[in-house]
Amino acid sequence: MNVEGFMNQLKMSQNPDKPPSSKEKSSDLGDGREESSDNQDQSVRKKIRQSALGSHRDDTPKSSPPQPVSIEELMETAKGVTNMALAHEIVVNGDFQIKPAELPEHSLEKKVRDIVHKAFWDCLEAQLKEDPPTYDHAIKLLGEIKENLLSFLLPGHTRLRSQITEVLDLDLIKQEAENGALDIAKLVEFVIGMMGTLCAPARDEEIKKLKDINEIVPLFRAIFSVLDLMKMDMANFAVTSIRPKLMQQSAEYERKKFQEFLEKRPNSLDLVTRWLQEAADDLVKLRCKMLPPHCSSDDATGGASALCFTAVQNQAYLNLLKWDHVNRPFPETVLMDQTRFQEIQLELEQCLLTGTVLLVTFSAAGPALADMPGFAEKIKTIVKVLLTGIHLPSFNLKESLATTGEKVCAEVNTCLSQHGFTPLSAERETVLKGQIQAVANSDNTICKLIDSRIQKFLENYLASSHQKSLPAVPGGLGPIQKELEEIAVKYVRLVNYNKMVFSPYYDAVLGKILTKEEYQLAGKSEES
């Protein structure tokens, strides 16, 4: 199966103005000859090490001087990156589907498109109303319809191919038009019947509606609209069929495409180097804090030596969950997943606030509500609803938490009363509302505690991602365990796939970084 051919085919299916021909379809989706995976992988890995080490000789990553690039090179690079991104999306997104492009309602592009389309259909209508009618435009449309129908056929559809070719014989149709013997309604009827044969069951209703249209111009427009939907269906069927095979080849394919991009842009690992450097710095600082106050130089150096590639990579991935997406560019190797990491980051922020609110609520209400069935879920629902839109610039966290405090106190008192307990006093209500509003402060102690435990849980989850037993949830996170585990599964799956694709680049960069860190830590230890 040729991955490159499939990517090109898939992109063509997204362009309704340029339908794929049956030859392209059979050649790209059929069995093709491939390069030897082992030899190719070894070659790419060798280039990776040369590129990663050769482009970062200084301690601080620097951009390469601008180099002249031809339009052809630029287009070829863009094509490779687009194919890589498309293959990546299909593999990591199980719900990936090709959908028709929808232009914004009042955009210039939509206005221009609508004007051009109206002019075309008006011209067709004018030709058909002439006496005698002129069929130039109609015959061209029949030719396009013919190509579309043929593109849906598989190699074994010999009888259908013969029927389409025989009935939609353009030379014969032209002769009939010149002699005034063309029965265009009969041809359209054949087209609709053939579309009904080839379409997915989900399109039966659209085919039925075509049969109710009597005017020829609106009918042609509707036919092309349904054909576009059928092309989307065909592309999505191809995606579903190719996904298992693509998953086997995608890591190697993405690595190859990135290497081609890196060879054209040698500074394309600058952000990755800085990202891994920061992760190594974070771990070194942590190790220094954990060392005994009177440790020797050898002990300090040993602490640095314990920094393995996996530990630094895991720390780097954890840092992505605290990323400033507005002011900092994302590392090149995780750029295609920036939106996914950002979504996980937002989910964790909401999980953090929910966990903090639950902790202070249970603390204020006492043990009576801790094990009460359904209470935690009610509080989580309140927090989730009131914190919707937390990622928006216009969102006012303090106001939302103030409202949350009011709702939580009301819910606590209701539950206490229903189960025969004394409701919160006015003083305790005030304290609970204040604690909930204090969650908005960046230096809130409880919030920091919950956050550190969430980070530790994710760190342990990363470390145990290849083991059967999963890490235990730290104390205080029990009420949000389900949400945390769901987030962790998505996060670890994303991280592991990224490692599978780009680990050779990370290993090459870290090979230099960790050597430097050992020297720096040893020097600091001697100075102390």
Side-chain angles (χ1 to χ4, degrees), residues 459-495:
E459 180 184 346
N460 292 339
Y461 214 105
L462 277 177
S464 63
S465 60
H466 297 294
Q467 301 175 10
K468 292 183 178 180
S469 59
L470 297 177
V473 176
L477 302 185
I480 56 173
Q481 177 176 351
K482 178 184 176 183
E483 290 80 2
L484 270 181
E485 289 180 344
E486 289 176 354
I487 294 172
V489 168
K490 289 192 297 183
Y491 173 62
V492 170
R493 185 185 298 128
L494 206 57
V495 167

mmCIF file of all heavy atoms in Angstrom, residues 459-495:
data_model
loop_
_atom_site.group_PDB
_atom_site.id
_atom_site.type_symbol
_atom_site.label_atom_id
_atom_site.label_comp_id
_atom_site.label_asym_id
_atom_site.label_seq_id
_atom_site.Cartn_x
_atom_site.Cartn_y
_atom_site.Cartn_z
ATOM 1 N N GLU A 459 2.920 12.029 35.767
ATOM 2 C CA GLU A 459 4.312 11.584 35.650
ATOM 3 C C GLU A 459 4.410 10.074 35.871
ATOM 4 O O GLU A 459 5.086 9.370 35.111
ATOM 5 C CB GLU A 459 5.167 12.325 36.678
ATOM 6 C CG GLU A 459 6.639 11.942 36.641
ATOM 7 C CD GLU A 459 7.437 12.618 37.737
ATOM 8 O OE1 GLU A 459 6.913 13.571 38.359
ATOM 9 O OE2 GLU A 459 8.581 12.180 37.993
ATOM 10 N N ASN A 460 3.727 9.587 36.897
ATOM 11 C CA ASN A 460 3.733 8.137 37.160
ATOM 12 C C ASN A 460 3.037 7.372 36.039
ATOM 13 O O ASN A 460 3.441 6.257 35.684
ATOM 14 C CB ASN A 460 3.043 7.849 38.494
ATOM 15 C CG ASN A 460 3.832 8.377 39.679
ATOM 16 O OD1 ASN A 460 5.038 8.613 39.583
ATOM 17 N ND2 ASN A 460 3.156 8.594 40.801
ATOM 18 N N TYR A 461 1.992 7.967 35.481
ATOM 19 C CA TYR A 461 1.268 7.326 34.393
ATOM 20 C C TYR A 461 2.171 7.193 33.166
ATOM 21 O O TYR A 461 2.164 6.169 32.473
ATOM 22 C CB TYR A 461 0.024 8.147 34.050
ATOM 23 C CG TYR A 461 -1.166 7.319 33.611
ATOM 24 C CD1 TYR A 461 -2.248 7.117 34.455
ATOM 25 C CD2 TYR A 461 -1.206 6.720 32.355
ATOM 26 C CE1 TYR A 461 -3.345 6.355 34.074
ATOM 27 C CE2 TYR A 461 -2.289 5.955 31.962
ATOM 28 C CZ TYR A 461 -3.358 5.783 32.819
ATOM 29 O OH TYR A 461 -4.422 5.026 32.424
ATOM 30 N N LEU A 462 2.955 8.241 32.886
ATOM 31 C CA LEU A 462 3.898 8.168 31.772
ATOM 32 C C LEU A 462 4.942 7.087 32.010
ATOM 33 O O LEU A 462 5.271 6.323 31.100
ATOM 34 C CB LEU A 462 4.605 9.520 31.588
ATOM 35 C CG LEU A 462 3.896 10.603 30.792
ATOM 36 C CD1 LEU A 462 4.735 11.882 30.784
ATOM 37 C CD2 LEU A 462 3.629 10.152 29.367
ATOM 38 N N ALA A 463 5.453 7.033 33.223
ATOM 39 C CA ALA A 463 6.506 6.064 33.541
ATOM 40 C C ALA A 463 5.997 4.630 33.482
ATOM 41 O O ALA A 463 6.756 3.706 33.171
ATOM 42 C CB ALA A 463 7.091 6.360 34.923
ATOM 43 N N SER A 464 4.691 4.426 33.760
ATOM 44 C CA SER A 464 4.141 3.064 33.789
ATOM 45 C C SER A 464 3.279 2.762 32.575
ATOM 46 O O SER A 464 2.497 1.817 32.594
ATOM 47 C CB SER A 464 3.291 2.880 35.055
ATOM 48 O OG SER A 464 2.179 3.756 35.044
ATOM 49 N N SER A 465 3.431 3.565 31.500
ATOM 50 C CA SER A 465 2.537 3.414 30.342
ATOM 51 C C SER A 465 2.690 2.081 29.640
ATOM 52 O O SER A 465 1.780 1.638 28.945
ATOM 53 C CB SER A 465 2.785 4.556 29.345
ATOM 54 O OG SER A 465 4.134 4.541 28.899
ATOM 55 N N HIS A 466 3.842 1.411 29.826
ATOM 56 C CA HIS A 466 4.052 0.112 29.175
ATOM 57 C C HIS A 466 3.881 -1.050 30.161
ATOM 58 O O HIS A 466 4.222 -2.190 29.847
ATOM 59 C CB HIS A 466 5.445 0.064 28.546
ATOM 60 C CG HIS A 466 5.635 1.077 27.456
ATOM 61 N ND1 HIS A 466 4.947 1.029 26.265
ATOM 62 C CD2 HIS A 466 6.415 2.179 27.400
ATOM 63 C CE1 HIS A 466 5.308 2.055 25.497
ATOM 64 N NE2 HIS A 466 6.192 2.756 26.174
ATOM 65 N N GLN A 467 3.377 -0.738 31.351
ATOM 66 C CA GLN A 467 3.153 -1.784 32.340
ATOM 67 C C GLN A 467 1.659 -2.074 32.458
ATOM 68 O O GLN A 467 0.822 -1.247 32.129
ATOM 69 C CB GLN A 467 3.705 -1.340 33.698
ATOM 70 C CG GLN A 467 5.207 -1.031 33.679
ATOM 71 C CD GLN A 467 5.687 -0.479 35.010
ATOM 72 O OE1 GLN A 467 4.945 -0.496 35.991
ATOM 73 N NE2 GLN A 467 6.926 -0.004 35.040
ATOM 74 N N LYS A 468 1.342 -3.269 32.932
ATOM 75 C CA LYS A 468 -0.054 -3.660 33.067
ATOM 76 C C LYS A 468 -0.732 -2.925 34.221
ATOM 77 O O LYS A 468 -1.883 -2.537 34.140
ATOM 78 C CB LYS A 468 -0.155 -5.174 33.271
ATOM 79 C CG LYS A 468 0.252 -5.982 32.035
ATOM 80 C CD LYS A 468 0.053 -7.463 32.277
ATOM 81 C CE LYS A 468 0.419 -8.274 31.027
ATOM 82 N NZ LYS A 468 0.234 -9.722 31.243
ATOM 83 N N SER A 469 -0.002 -2.747 35.326
ATOM 84 C CA SER A 469 -0.587 -2.077 36.495
ATOM 85 C C SER A 469 -0.462 -0.564 36.352
ATOM 86 O O SER A 469 0.600 -0.048 36.009
ATOM 87 C CB SER A 469 0.123 -2.533 37.774
ATOM 88 O OG SER A 469 1.506 -2.239 37.703
ATOM 89 N N LEU A 470 -1.537 0.144 36.616
ATOM 90 C CA LEU A 470 -1.554 1.592 36.517
ATOM 91 C C LEU A 470 -1.265 2.206 37.881
ATOM 92 O O LEU A 470 -1.554 1.601 38.917
ATOM 93 C CB LEU A 470 -2.912 2.065 35.994
ATOM 94 C CG LEU A 470 -3.260 1.585 34.585
ATOM 95 C CD1 LEU A 470 -4.653 2.058 34.190
ATOM 96 C CD2 LEU A 470 -2.231 2.053 33.573
ATOM 97 N N PRO A 471 -0.723 3.412 37.931
ATOM 98 C CA PRO A 471 -0.377 4.042 39.215
ATOM 99 C C PRO A 471 -1.612 4.385 40.030
ATOM 100 O O PRO A 471 -2.687 4.656 39.486
ATOM 101 C CB PRO A 471 0.368 5.308 38.777
ATOM 102 C CG PRO A 471 -0.149 5.614 37.414
ATOM 103 C CD PRO A 471 -0.399 4.285 36.784
ATOM 104 N N ALA A 472 -1.454 4.373 41.340
ATOM 105 C CA ALA A 472 -2.564 4.723 42.234
ATOM 106 C C ALA A 472 -2.780 6.229 42.190
ATOM 107 O O ALA A 472 -1.841 7.007 41.980
ATOM 108 C CB ALA A 472 -2.238 4.268 43.654
ATOM 109 N N VAL A 473 -4.020 6.628 42.380
ATOM 110 C CA VAL A 473 -4.346 8.054 42.397
ATOM 111 C C VAL A 473 -3.945 8.618 43.755
ATOM 112 O O VAL A 473 -4.304 8.065 44.798
ATOM 113 C CB VAL A 473 -5.856 8.269 42.154
ATOM 114 C CG1 VAL A 473 -6.216 9.739 42.281
ATOM 115 C CG2 VAL A 473 -6.242 7.745 40.784
ATOM 116 N N PRO A 474 -3.176 9.722 43.785
ATOM 117 C CA PRO A 474 -2.748 10.318 45.063
ATOM 118 C C PRO A 474 -3.936 10.741 45.922
ATOM 119 O O PRO A 474 -5.045 10.957 45.428
ATOM 120 C CB PRO A 474 -1.926 11.536 44.621
ATOM 121 C CG PRO A 474 -1.501 11.224 43.223
ATOM 122 C CD PRO A 474 -2.609 10.424 42.634
ATOM 123 N N GLY A 475 -3.697 10.868 47.220
ATOM 124 C CA GLY A 475 -4.744 11.270 48.140
ATOM 125 C C GLY A 475 -5.329 12.629 47.801
ATOM 126 O O GLY A 475 -4.615 13.536 47.363
ATOM 127 N N GLY A 476 -6.614 12.759 47.966
ATOM 128 C CA GLY A 476 -7.298 14.017 47.674
ATOM 129 C C GLY A 476 -7.844 14.106 46.274
ATOM 130 O O GLY A 476 -8.626 15.012 45.963
ATOM 131 N N LEU A 477 -7.436 13.185 45.389
ATOM 132 C CA LEU A 477 -7.885 13.222 43.993
ATOM 133 C C LEU A 477 -8.970 12.178 43.718
ATOM 134 O O LEU A 477 -9.397 12.046 42.563
ATOM 135 C CB LEU A 477 -6.704 12.991 43.044
ATOM 136 C CG LEU A 477 -5.527 13.962 43.148
ATOM 137 C CD1 LEU A 477 -4.500 13.656 42.066
ATOM 138 C CD2 LEU A 477 -5.994 15.400 43.041
ATOM 139 N N GLY A 478 -9.401 11.468 44.739
ATOM 140 C CA GLY A 478 -10.412 10.432 44.550
ATOM 141 C C GLY A 478 -11.673 10.912 43.854
ATOM 142 O O GLY A 478 -12.162 10.257 42.923
ATOM 143 N N PRO A 479 -12.233 12.072 44.248
ATOM 144 C CA PRO A 479 -13.468 12.532 43.602
ATOM 145 C C PRO A 479 -13.330 12.828 42.116
ATOM 146 O O PRO A 479 -14.324 12.843 41.391
ATOM 147 C CB PRO A 479 -13.809 13.814 44.386
ATOM 148 C CG PRO A 479 -13.157 13.631 45.714
ATOM 149 C CD PRO A 479 -11.891 12.891 45.418
ATOM 150 N N ILE A 480 -12.102 13.096 41.660
ATOM 151 C CA ILE A 480 -11.903 13.389 40.232
ATOM 152 C C ILE A 480 -11.089 12.287 39.555
ATOM 153 O O ILE A 480 -10.508 12.504 38.493
ATOM 154 C CB ILE A 480 -11.220 14.760 40.015
ATOM 155 C CG1 ILE A 480 -9.892 14.829 40.786
ATOM 156 C CG2 ILE A 480 -12.136 15.899 40.420
ATOM 157 C CD1 ILE A 480 -9.071 16.076 40.482
ATOM 158 N N GLN A 481 -11.049 11.111 40.159
ATOM 159 C CA GLN A 481 -10.239 10.012 39.613
ATOM 160 C C GLN A 481 -10.668 9.630 38.198
ATOM 161 O O GLN A 481 -9.828 9.459 37.312
ATOM 162 C CB GLN A 481 -10.335 8.798 40.533
ATOM 163 C CG GLN A 481 -9.574 7.575 39.999
ATOM 164 C CD GLN A 481 -9.596 6.416 40.977
ATOM 165 O OE1 GLN A 481 -10.024 6.564 42.126
ATOM 166 N NE2 GLN A 481 -9.143 5.253 40.527
ATOM 167 N N LYS A 482 -11.975 9.508 37.985
ATOM 168 C CA LYS A 482 -12.470 9.102 36.675
ATOM 169 C C LYS A 482 -12.038 10.079 35.595
ATOM 170 O O LYS A 482 -11.526 9.687 34.535
ATOM 171 C CB LYS A 482 -13.988 8.992 36.711
ATOM 172 C CG LYS A 482 -14.620 8.621 35.377
ATOM 173 C CD LYS A 482 -16.142 8.625 35.468
ATOM 174 C CE LYS A 482 -16.769 8.348 34.101
ATOM 175 N NZ LYS A 482 -18.251 8.415 34.159
ATOM 176 N N GLU A 483 -12.224 11.371 35.860
ATOM 177 C CA GLU A 483 -11.845 12.389 34.871
ATOM 178 C C GLU A 483 -10.333 12.386 34.626
ATOM 179 O O GLU A 483 -9.887 12.503 33.479
ATOM 180 C CB GLU A 483 -12.284 13.780 35.353
ATOM 181 C CG GLU A 483 -13.784 14.000 35.355
ATOM 182 C CD GLU A 483 -14.495 13.407 36.565
ATOM 183 O OE1 GLU A 483 -13.807 12.852 37.446
ATOM 184 O OE2 GLU A 483 -15.729 13.507 36.639
ATOM 185 N N LEU A 484 -9.562 12.238 35.698
ATOM 186 C CA LEU A 484 -8.106 12.235 35.558
ATOM 187 C C LEU A 484 -7.620 11.060 34.728
ATOM 188 O O LEU A 484 -6.731 11.205 33.873
ATOM 189 C CB LEU A 484 -7.447 12.185 36.935
ATOM 190 C CG LEU A 484 -7.122 13.516 37.620
ATOM 191 C CD1 LEU A 484 -6.465 13.265 38.954
ATOM 192 C CD2 LEU A 484 -6.236 14.377 36.733
ATOM 193 N N GLU A 485 -8.188 9.899 34.963
ATOM 194 C CA GLU A 485 -7.750 8.707 34.225
ATOM 195 C C GLU A 485 -8.110 8.819 32.751
ATOM 196 O O GLU A 485 -7.339 8.391 31.888
ATOM 197 C CB GLU A 485 -8.358 7.453 34.849
ATOM 198 C CG GLU A 485 -7.748 7.107 36.204
ATOM 199 C CD GLU A 485 -8.348 5.858 36.826
ATOM 200 O OE1 GLU A 485 -9.432 5.431 36.358
ATOM 201 O OE2 GLU A 485 -7.748 5.321 37.776
ATOM 202 N N GLU A 486 -9.266 9.387 32.443
ATOM 203 C CA GLU A 486 -9.642 9.588 31.040
ATOM 204 C C GLU A 486 -8.673 10.537 30.347
ATOM 205 O O GLU A 486 -8.259 10.304 29.208
ATOM 206 C CB GLU A 486 -11.069 10.129 30.957
ATOM 207 C CG GLU A 486 -12.140 9.112 31.333
ATOM 208 C CD GLU A 486 -13.532 9.710 31.341
ATOM 209 O OE1 GLU A 486 -13.648 10.949 31.162
ATOM 210 O OE2 GLU A 486 -14.514 8.951 31.517
ATOM 211 N N ILE A 487 -8.311 11.616 31.037
ATOM 212 C CA ILE A 487 -7.349 12.570 30.474
ATOM 213 C C ILE A 487 -5.988 11.904 30.306
ATOM 214 O O ILE A 487 -5.316 12.079 29.288
ATOM 215 C CB ILE A 487 -7.234 13.812 31.375
ATOM 216 C CG1 ILE A 487 -8.555 14.585 31.384
ATOM 217 C CG2 ILE A 487 -6.099 14.716 30.919
ATOM 218 C CD1 ILE A 487 -8.603 15.720 32.397
ATOM 219 N N ALA A 488 -5.579 11.130 31.321
ATOM 220 C CA ALA A 488 -4.266 10.483 31.286
ATOM 221 C C ALA A 488 -4.154 9.507 30.119
ATOM 222 O O ALA A 488 -3.104 9.428 29.465
ATOM 223 C CB ALA A 488 -3.998 9.759 32.603
ATOM 224 N N VAL A 489 -5.221 8.771 29.847
ATOM 225 C CA VAL A 489 -5.194 7.815 28.735
ATOM 226 C C VAL A 489 -4.972 8.548 27.410
ATOM 227 O O VAL A 489 -4.137 8.142 26.587
ATOM 228 C CB VAL A 489 -6.509 7.006 28.693
ATOM 229 C CG1 VAL A 489 -6.621 6.230 27.387
ATOM 230 C CG2 VAL A 489 -6.569 6.036 29.868
ATOM 231 N N LYS A 490 -5.711 9.635 27.183
ATOM 232 C CA LYS A 490 -5.536 10.411 25.950
ATOM 233 C C LYS A 490 -4.129 10.993 25.874
ATOM 234 O O LYS A 490 -3.487 10.965 24.817
ATOM 235 C CB LYS A 490 -6.554 11.562 25.899
ATOM 236 C CG LYS A 490 -7.979 11.131 25.668
ATOM 237 C CD LYS A 490 -8.870 12.311 25.340
ATOM 238 C CE LYS A 490 -8.932 13.291 26.487
ATOM 239 N NZ LYS A 490 -9.851 14.413 26.216
ATOM 240 N N TYR A 491 -3.669 11.517 26.982
ATOM 241 C CA TYR A 491 -2.360 12.172 27.037
ATOM 242 C C TYR A 491 -1.229 11.184 26.765
ATOM 243 O O TYR A 491 -0.349 11.439 25.926
ATOM 244 C CB TYR A 491 -2.204 12.813 28.414
ATOM 245 C CG TYR A 491 -0.855 13.392 28.709
ATOM 246 C CD1 TYR A 491 -0.340 14.441 27.961
ATOM 247 C CD2 TYR A 491 -0.089 12.898 29.759
ATOM 248 C CE1 TYR A 491 0.909 14.980 28.249
ATOM 249 C CE2 TYR A 491 1.153 13.430 30.068
ATOM 250 C CZ TYR A 491 1.650 14.472 29.311
ATOM 251 O OH TYR A 491 2.878 15.001 29.594
ATOM 252 N N VAL A 492 -1.266 10.038 27.429
ATOM 253 C CA VAL A 492 -0.194 9.052 27.270
ATOM 254 C C VAL A 492 -0.197 8.465 25.860
ATOM 255 O O VAL A 492 0.868 8.206 25.278
ATOM 256 C CB VAL A 492 -0.322 7.946 28.338
ATOM 257 C CG1 VAL A 492 0.618 6.794 28.050
ATOM 258 C CG2 VAL A 492 -0.051 8.522 29.714
ATOM 259 N N ARG A 493 -1.390 8.250 25.291
ATOM 260 C CA ARG A 493 -1.456 7.749 23.925
ATOM 261 C C ARG A 493 -0.794 8.724 22.953
ATOM 262 O O ARG A 493 -0.053 8.330 22.055
ATOM 263 C CB ARG A 493 -2.916 7.509 23.527
ATOM 264 C CG ARG A 493 -3.071 6.872 22.153
ATOM 265 C CD ARG A 493 -4.530 6.758 21.752
ATOM 266 N NE ARG A 493 -5.279 5.910 22.674
ATOM 267 C CZ ARG A 493 -6.393 6.254 23.269
ATOM 268 N NH1 ARG A 493 -6.912 7.457 23.073
ATOM 269 N NH2 ARG A 493 -7.016 5.420 24.072
ATOM 270 N N LEU A 494 -1.043 10.002 23.165
ATOM 271 C CA LEU A 494 -0.461 11.037 22.310
ATOM 272 C C LEU A 494 1.053 11.086 22.476
ATOM 273 O O LEU A 494 1.810 11.171 21.497
ATOM 274 C CB LEU A 494 -1.075 12.389 22.693
ATOM 275 C CG LEU A 494 -1.132 13.496 21.645
ATOM 276 C CD1 LEU A 494 -1.878 13.046 20.408
ATOM 277 C CD2 LEU A 494 -1.781 14.744 22.239
ATOM 278 N N VAL A 495 1.506 11.017 23.721
ATOM 279 C CA VAL A 495 2.941 11.066 24.011
ATOM 280 C C VAL A 495 3.660 9.856 23.423
ATOM 281 O O VAL A 495 4.718 9.989 22.793
ATOM 282 C CB VAL A 495 3.166 11.145 25.536
ATOM 283 C CG1 VAL A 495 4.631 10.873 25.881
ATOM 284 C CG2 VAL A 495 2.752 12.513 26.067
#
